[in-house]
Amino acid sequence: MKFSEIYKNSNFFKIILIITFVIIGYISSVLFTKMQKLEDEIDMISTSNEIQFELEKLVAIVNNYETSLRSYIITKDDFFLKNKFLNQGQVANSFKQMQFLADKNPARQKDLKVLKKLLDYRLKLFNELLIFSKTRNVTQGQLKQMLIESDNCTENMRQLVYKTLHNEDRKAKIHSVSHQNKLEDSIVCAILLIILSLLILFLSFNKINSDLLQLKKSNEDLLFLNQLFTQAEQIAGLGHWKINITTGNCFFSDNFY
């Protein structure tokens, strides 16, 4: 059997359409899953960037606090204390935001807890150093010892922050690569959907065109047979009639009439 004959078969065309629709459904589900994963990747990248921003902002505030305090110790000018010290409410908001972002990541939560302890201790040292620096009978050795302790605490805090920043940057890069791969897969799925949709349109149009041509040919054959039958009746002296039993209408051939 030739392919053209198989293609003209209605059952074969239905099977092809069903298979195509099944494939389209599968690709659509894959594309939907990819799009959801793309959203997850974007959320992860956004979360990582927000945490990095909050950490960098926290380090900047602590550095500003430390600079202001050291300037006051050197000059004894209250100008460096006015509106220069660390806003603990702002730090609390930053930590609350980071804890919210790290809600589903135990490793992040662990680092934030350690960072919170170091920061609380650093704030305590700041306050003690400020009070100590205002005491008149303070010695240079005592002041130096407190400054060294403060520097060590600040350095430990910075190392933890930089470690966390490095981890977040690494995670952001991993998510970025994964996002790029999923985006490429989604584009491929979308292209396949377009190709299959165009294929269905082409097959449907071709089938409809083929059926119309076949119908036109059948009508022409019927018209020829009708003319031939009419002429045969006239030559043979015959006639025919028919009745619609539902409506009761009768039809008579010209020769019979």
PDB file of all heavy atoms in Angstrom, residues 64-86 130:
ATOM      1  N   ASN A  64      32.116  52.361  59.677  1.00  0.00           N
ATOM      2  CA  ASN A  64      31.821  53.767  59.937  1.00  0.00           C
ATOM      3  C   ASN A  64      31.780  54.048  61.436  1.00  0.00           C
ATOM      4  O   ASN A  64      32.298  55.068  61.916  1.00  0.00           O
ATOM      5  CB  ASN A  64      30.490  54.136  59.286  1.00  0.00           C
ATOM      6  CG  ASN A  64      30.150  55.606  59.479  1.00  0.00           C
ATOM      7  OD1 ASN A  64      30.905  56.488  59.095  1.00  0.00           O
ATOM      8  ND2 ASN A  64      29.001  55.861  60.085  1.00  0.00           N
ATOM      9  N   TYR A  65      31.204  53.125  62.176  1.00  0.00           N
ATOM     10  CA  TYR A  65      31.149  53.251  63.636  1.00  0.00           C
ATOM     11  C   TYR A  65      32.561  53.273  64.215  1.00  0.00           C
ATOM     12  O   TYR A  65      32.908  54.114  65.057  1.00  0.00           O
ATOM     13  CB  TYR A  65      30.355  52.065  64.194  1.00  0.00           C
ATOM     14  CG  TYR A  65      30.007  52.181  65.663  1.00  0.00           C
ATOM     15  CD1 TYR A  65      28.717  52.435  66.060  1.00  0.00           C
ATOM     16  CD2 TYR A  65      30.970  52.018  66.647  1.00  0.00           C
ATOM     17  CE1 TYR A  65      28.389  52.529  67.397  1.00  0.00           C
ATOM     18  CE2 TYR A  65      30.657  52.121  67.987  1.00  0.00           C
ATOM     19  CZ  TYR A  65      29.358  52.373  68.358  1.00  0.00           C
ATOM     20  OH  TYR A  65      29.045  52.475  69.685  1.00  0.00           O
ATOM     21  N   GLU A  66      33.373  52.346  63.747  1.00  0.00           N
ATOM     22  CA  GLU A  66      34.727  52.239  64.286  1.00  0.00           C
ATOM     23  C   GLU A  66      35.552  53.479  63.953  1.00  0.00           C
ATOM     24  O   GLU A  66      36.315  53.985  64.790  1.00  0.00           O
ATOM     25  CB  GLU A  66      35.403  50.986  63.726  1.00  0.00           C
ATOM     26  CG  GLU A  66      36.707  50.649  64.406  1.00  0.00           C
ATOM     27  CD  GLU A  66      37.169  49.238  64.079  1.00  0.00           C
ATOM     28  OE1 GLU A  66      36.435  48.504  63.388  1.00  0.00           O
ATOM     29  OE2 GLU A  66      38.265  48.884  64.517  1.00  0.00           O
ATOM     30  N   THR A  67      35.387  53.979  62.722  1.00  0.00           N
ATOM     31  CA  THR A  67      36.119  55.189  62.329  1.00  0.00           C
ATOM     32  C   THR A  67      35.703  56.384  63.183  1.00  0.00           C
ATOM     33  O   THR A  67      36.551  57.177  63.634  1.00  0.00           O
ATOM     34  CB  THR A  67      35.860  55.487  60.842  1.00  0.00           C
ATOM     35  OG1 THR A  67      36.290  54.383  60.050  1.00  0.00           O
ATOM     36  CG2 THR A  67      36.613  56.735  60.410  1.00  0.00           C
ATOM     37  N   SER A  68      34.403  56.512  63.406  1.00  0.00           N
ATOM     38  CA  SER A  68      33.907  57.623  64.219  1.00  0.00           C
ATOM     39  C   SER A  68      34.431  57.535  65.648  1.00  0.00           C
ATOM     40  O   SER A  68      34.841  58.548  66.239  1.00  0.00           O
ATOM     41  CB  SER A  68      32.379  57.620  64.219  1.00  0.00           C
ATOM     42  OG  SER A  68      31.869  57.792  62.919  1.00  0.00           O
ATOM     43  N   LEU A  69      34.424  56.339  66.209  1.00  0.00           N
ATOM     44  CA  LEU A  69      34.895  56.168  67.586  1.00  0.00           C
ATOM     45  C   LEU A  69      36.380  56.473  67.707  1.00  0.00           C
ATOM     46  O   LEU A  69      36.821  57.147  68.647  1.00  0.00           O
ATOM     47  CB  LEU A  69      34.601  54.743  68.060  1.00  0.00           C
ATOM     48  CG  LEU A  69      34.961  54.431  69.509  1.00  0.00           C
ATOM     49  CD1 LEU A  69      34.265  55.379  70.469  1.00  0.00           C
ATOM     50  CD2 LEU A  69      34.631  52.986  69.845  1.00  0.00           C
ATOM     51  N   ARG A  70      37.170  56.016  66.761  1.00  0.00           N
ATOM     52  CA  ARG A  70      38.614  56.274  66.806  1.00  0.00           C
ATOM     53  C   ARG A  70      38.891  57.779  66.625  1.00  0.00           C
ATOM     54  O   ARG A  70      39.810  58.331  67.251  1.00  0.00           O
ATOM     55  CB  ARG A  70      39.335  55.472  65.727  1.00  0.00           C
ATOM     56  CG  ARG A  70      39.392  53.980  66.041  1.00  0.00           C
ATOM     57  CD  ARG A  70      40.072  53.191  64.934  1.00  0.00           C
ATOM     58  NE  ARG A  70      40.079  51.768  65.235  1.00  0.00           N
ATOM     59  CZ  ARG A  70      41.029  51.153  65.931  1.00  0.00           C
ATOM     60  NH1 ARG A  70      42.057  51.858  66.410  1.00  0.00           N
ATOM     61  NH2 ARG A  70      40.964  49.866  66.174  1.00  0.00           N
ATOM     62  N   SER A  71      38.101  58.416  65.754  1.00  0.00           N
ATOM     63  CA  SER A  71      38.276  59.861  65.572  1.00  0.00           C
ATOM     64  C   SER A  71      37.964  60.600  66.868  1.00  0.00           C
ATOM     65  O   SER A  71      38.636  61.578  67.229  1.00  0.00           O
ATOM     66  CB  SER A  71      37.366  60.359  64.445  1.00  0.00           C
ATOM     67  OG  SER A  71      37.704  59.743  63.220  1.00  0.00           O
ATOM     68  N   TYR A  72      36.943  60.139  67.588  1.00  0.00           N
ATOM     69  CA  TYR A  72      36.605  60.775  68.861  1.00  0.00           C
ATOM     70  C   TYR A  72      37.718  60.559  69.884  1.00  0.00           C
ATOM     71  O   TYR A  72      38.064  61.478  70.640  1.00  0.00           O
ATOM     72  CB  TYR A  72      35.295  60.216  69.391  1.00  0.00           C
ATOM     73  CG  TYR A  72      34.999  60.652  70.809  1.00  0.00           C
ATOM     74  CD1 TYR A  72      34.548  61.937  71.088  1.00  0.00           C
ATOM     75  CD2 TYR A  72      35.218  59.768  71.871  1.00  0.00           C
ATOM     76  CE1 TYR A  72      34.313  62.345  72.391  1.00  0.00           C
ATOM     77  CE2 TYR A  72      34.976  60.162  73.169  1.00  0.00           C
ATOM     78  CZ  TYR A  72      34.521  61.454  73.430  1.00  0.00           C
ATOM     79  OH  TYR A  72      34.298  61.853  74.727  1.00  0.00           O
ATOM     80  N   ILE A  73      38.271  59.344  69.934  1.00  0.00           N
ATOM     81  CA  ILE A  73      39.340  59.052  70.893  1.00  0.00           C
ATOM     82  C   ILE A  73      40.549  59.956  70.654  1.00  0.00           C
ATOM     83  O   ILE A  73      41.189  60.448  71.592  1.00  0.00           O
ATOM     84  CB  ILE A  73      39.740  57.569  70.806  1.00  0.00           C
ATOM     85  CG1 ILE A  73      38.596  56.691  71.311  1.00  0.00           C
ATOM     86  CG2 ILE A  73      41.003  57.287  71.623  1.00  0.00           C
ATOM     87  CD1 ILE A  73      38.832  55.204  71.114  1.00  0.00           C
ATOM     88  N   ILE A  74      40.831  60.203  69.365  1.00  0.00           N
ATOM     89  CA  ILE A  74      41.997  61.023  69.040  1.00  0.00           C
ATOM     90  C   ILE A  74      41.745  62.499  69.323  1.00  0.00           C
ATOM     91  O   ILE A  74      42.583  63.198  69.892  1.00  0.00           O
ATOM     92  CB  ILE A  74      42.393  60.815  67.561  1.00  0.00           C
ATOM     93  CG1 ILE A  74      42.861  59.371  67.340  1.00  0.00           C
ATOM     94  CG2 ILE A  74      43.489  61.795  67.158  1.00  0.00           C
ATOM     95  CD1 ILE A  74      43.081  59.021  65.894  1.00  0.00           C
ATOM     96  N   THR A  75      40.576  63.001  68.937  1.00  0.00           N
ATOM     97  CA  THR A  75      40.307  64.446  69.014  1.00  0.00           C
ATOM     98  C   THR A  75      39.510  64.861  70.241  1.00  0.00           C
ATOM     99  O   THR A  75      39.506  66.058  70.595  1.00  0.00           O
ATOM    100  CB  THR A  75      39.534  64.888  67.762  1.00  0.00           C
ATOM    101  OG1 THR A  75      38.256  64.237  67.741  1.00  0.00           O
ATOM    102  CG2 THR A  75      40.305  64.554  66.506  1.00  0.00           C
ATOM    103  N   LYS A  76      38.779  63.903  70.853  1.00  0.00           N
ATOM    104  CA  LYS A  76      37.871  64.213  71.966  1.00  0.00           C
ATOM    105  C   LYS A  76      36.778  65.206  71.548  1.00  0.00           C
ATOM    106  O   LYS A  76      36.217  65.925  72.374  1.00  0.00           O
ATOM    107  CB  LYS A  76      38.641  64.795  73.162  1.00  0.00           C
ATOM    108  CG  LYS A  76      39.692  63.866  73.730  1.00  0.00           C
ATOM    109  CD  LYS A  76      39.067  62.578  74.250  1.00  0.00           C
ATOM    110  CE  LYS A  76      40.128  61.666  74.858  1.00  0.00           C
ATOM    111  NZ  LYS A  76      39.571  60.422  75.377  1.00  0.00           N
ATOM    112  N   ASP A  77      36.480  65.220  70.242  1.00  0.00           N
ATOM    113  CA  ASP A  77      35.464  66.119  69.709  1.00  0.00           C
ATOM    114  C   ASP A  77      34.147  65.347  69.575  1.00  0.00           C
ATOM    115  O   ASP A  77      34.076  64.334  68.877  1.00  0.00           O
ATOM    116  CB  ASP A  77      35.903  66.656  68.343  1.00  0.00           C
ATOM    117  CG  ASP A  77      34.996  67.782  67.859  1.00  0.00           C
ATOM    118  OD1 ASP A  77      33.877  67.917  68.385  1.00  0.00           O
ATOM    119  OD2 ASP A  77      35.420  68.519  66.949  1.00  0.00           O
ATOM    120  N   ASP A  78      33.076  65.838  70.244  1.00  0.00           N
ATOM    121  CA  ASP A  78      31.780  65.146  70.201  1.00  0.00           C
ATOM    122  C   ASP A  78      31.146  65.144  68.813  1.00  0.00           C
ATOM    123  O   ASP A  78      30.163  64.422  68.578  1.00  0.00           O
ATOM    124  CB  ASP A  78      30.811  65.806  71.189  1.00  0.00           C
ATOM    125  CG  ASP A  78      31.204  65.548  72.631  1.00  0.00           C
ATOM    126  OD1 ASP A  78      31.914  64.556  72.868  1.00  0.00           O
ATOM    127  OD2 ASP A  78      30.811  66.335  73.520  1.00  0.00           O
ATOM    128  N   PHE A  79      31.679  65.937  67.910  1.00  0.00           N
ATOM    129  CA  PHE A  79      31.149  65.953  66.540  1.00  0.00           C
ATOM    130  C   PHE A  79      31.195  64.561  65.909  1.00  0.00           C
ATOM    131  O   PHE A  79      30.301  64.173  65.151  1.00  0.00           O
ATOM    132  CB  PHE A  79      31.961  66.935  65.690  1.00  0.00           C
ATOM    133  CG  PHE A  79      31.662  66.824  64.222  1.00  0.00           C
ATOM    134  CD1 PHE A  79      30.513  67.377  63.672  1.00  0.00           C
ATOM    135  CD2 PHE A  79      32.536  66.138  63.378  1.00  0.00           C
ATOM    136  CE1 PHE A  79      30.246  67.256  62.321  1.00  0.00           C
ATOM    137  CE2 PHE A  79      32.260  66.005  62.026  1.00  0.00           C
ATOM    138  CZ  PHE A  79      31.112  66.572  61.499  1.00  0.00           C
ATOM    139  N   PHE A  80      32.206  63.793  66.216  1.00  0.00           N
ATOM    140  CA  PHE A  80      32.367  62.455  65.622  1.00  0.00           C
ATOM    141  C   PHE A  80      31.404  61.437  66.223  1.00  0.00           C
ATOM    142  O   PHE A  80      31.236  60.349  65.668  1.00  0.00           O
ATOM    143  CB  PHE A  80      33.806  61.972  65.813  1.00  0.00           C
ATOM    144  CG  PHE A  80      34.800  62.782  65.052  1.00  0.00           C
ATOM    145  CD1 PHE A  80      35.609  63.714  65.691  1.00  0.00           C
ATOM    146  CD2 PHE A  80      34.927  62.635  63.683  1.00  0.00           C
ATOM    147  CE1 PHE A  80      36.521  64.468  64.995  1.00  0.00           C
ATOM    148  CE2 PHE A  80      35.854  63.386  62.971  1.00  0.00           C
ATOM    149  CZ  PHE A  80      36.650  64.313  63.622  1.00  0.00           C
ATOM    150  N   LEU A  81      30.785  61.795  67.364  1.00  0.00           N
ATOM    151  CA  LEU A  81      29.802  60.890  67.970  1.00  0.00           C
ATOM    152  C   LEU A  81      28.383  61.202  67.513  1.00  0.00           C
ATOM    153  O   LEU A  81      27.518  60.332  67.534  1.00  0.00           O
ATOM    154  CB  LEU A  81      29.864  61.001  69.506  1.00  0.00           C
ATOM    155  CG  LEU A  81      31.203  60.666  70.153  1.00  0.00           C
ATOM    156  CD1 LEU A  81      31.089  60.796  71.657  1.00  0.00           C
ATOM    157  CD2 LEU A  81      31.652  59.266  69.783  1.00  0.00           C
ATOM    158  N   LYS A  82      28.154  62.436  67.086  1.00  0.00           N
ATOM    159  CA  LYS A  82      26.816  62.855  66.715  1.00  0.00           C
ATOM    160  C   LYS A  82      26.404  62.258  65.367  1.00  0.00           C
ATOM    161  O   LYS A  82      27.039  62.472  64.350  1.00  0.00           O
ATOM    162  CB  LYS A  82      26.768  64.383  66.636  1.00  0.00           C
ATOM    163  CG  LYS A  82      25.361  64.923  66.390  1.00  0.00           C
ATOM    164  CD  LYS A  82      25.388  66.439  66.345  1.00  0.00           C
ATOM    165  CE  LYS A  82      23.985  66.980  66.087  1.00  0.00           C
ATOM    166  NZ  LYS A  82      23.985  68.457  66.023  1.00  0.00           N
ATOM    167  N   ASN A  83      25.327  61.510  65.412  1.00  0.00           N
ATOM    168  CA  ASN A  83      24.762  60.887  64.196  1.00  0.00           C
ATOM    169  C   ASN A  83      25.765  60.022  63.440  1.00  0.00           C
ATOM    170  O   ASN A  83      25.639  59.830  62.235  1.00  0.00           O
ATOM    171  CB  ASN A  83      24.226  61.960  63.245  1.00  0.00           C
ATOM    172  CG  ASN A  83      23.100  62.759  63.861  1.00  0.00           C
ATOM    173  OD1 ASN A  83      22.323  62.228  64.654  1.00  0.00           O
ATOM    174  ND2 ASN A  83      23.024  64.028  63.516  1.00  0.00           N
ATOM    175  N   LYS A  84      26.778  59.527  64.120  1.00  0.00           N
ATOM    176  CA  LYS A  84      27.786  58.725  63.444  1.00  0.00           C
ATOM    177  C   LYS A  84      27.770  57.274  63.911  1.00  0.00           C
ATOM    178  O   LYS A  84      28.274  56.387  63.236  1.00  0.00           O
ATOM    179  CB  LYS A  84      29.186  59.307  63.710  1.00  0.00           C
ATOM    180  CG  LYS A  84      29.399  60.708  63.136  1.00  0.00           C
ATOM    181  CD  LYS A  84      29.444  60.697  61.636  1.00  0.00           C
ATOM    182  CE  LYS A  84      29.723  62.070  61.076  1.00  0.00           C
ATOM    183  NZ  LYS A  84      29.787  62.079  59.613  1.00  0.00           N
ATOM    184  N   PHE A  85      27.186  57.048  65.079  1.00  0.00           N
ATOM    185  CA  PHE A  85      27.290  55.705  65.630  1.00  0.00           C
ATOM    186  C   PHE A  85      26.287  54.739  65.017  1.00  0.00           C
ATOM    187  O   PHE A  85      25.295  55.133  64.423  1.00  0.00           O
ATOM    188  CB  PHE A  85      27.131  55.753  67.150  1.00  0.00           C
ATOM    189  CG  PHE A  85      28.419  56.038  67.844  1.00  0.00           C
ATOM    190  CD1 PHE A  85      28.888  57.336  67.962  1.00  0.00           C
ATOM    191  CD2 PHE A  85      29.188  55.018  68.335  1.00  0.00           C
ATOM    192  CE1 PHE A  85      30.087  57.608  68.578  1.00  0.00           C
ATOM    193  CE2 PHE A  85      30.388  55.283  68.957  1.00  0.00           C
ATOM    194  CZ  PHE A  85      30.847  56.575  69.090  1.00  0.00           C
ATOM    195  N   LEU A  86      26.583  53.509  65.236  1.00  0.00           N
ATOM    196  CA  LEU A  86      25.819  52.430  64.630  1.00  0.00           C
ATOM    197  C   LEU A  86      24.369  52.450  65.090  1.00  0.00           C
ATOM    198  O   LEU A  86      24.091  52.525  66.276  1.00  0.00           O
ATOM    199  CB  LEU A  86      26.460  51.089  65.010  1.00  0.00           C
ATOM    200  CG  LEU A  86      25.845  49.842  64.389  1.00  0.00           C
ATOM    201  CD1 LEU A  86      26.010  49.882  62.893  1.00  0.00           C
ATOM    202  CD2 LEU A  86      26.496  48.603  64.952  1.00  0.00           C
ATOM    203  N   LEU A 130      33.987  53.355  74.390  1.00  0.00           N
ATOM    204  CA  LEU A 130      33.523  54.739  74.424  1.00  0.00           C
ATOM    205  C   LEU A 130      33.513  55.261  75.864  1.00  0.00           C
ATOM    206  O   LEU A 130      34.009  56.371  76.150  1.00  0.00           O
ATOM    207  CB  LEU A 130      32.129  54.836  73.821  1.00  0.00           C
ATOM    208  CG  LEU A 130      31.470  56.217  73.850  1.00  0.00           C
ATOM    209  CD1 LEU A 130      32.311  57.233  73.086  1.00  0.00           C
ATOM    210  CD2 LEU A 130      30.060  56.153  73.286  1.00  0.00           C
TER     211      LEU A 130
END
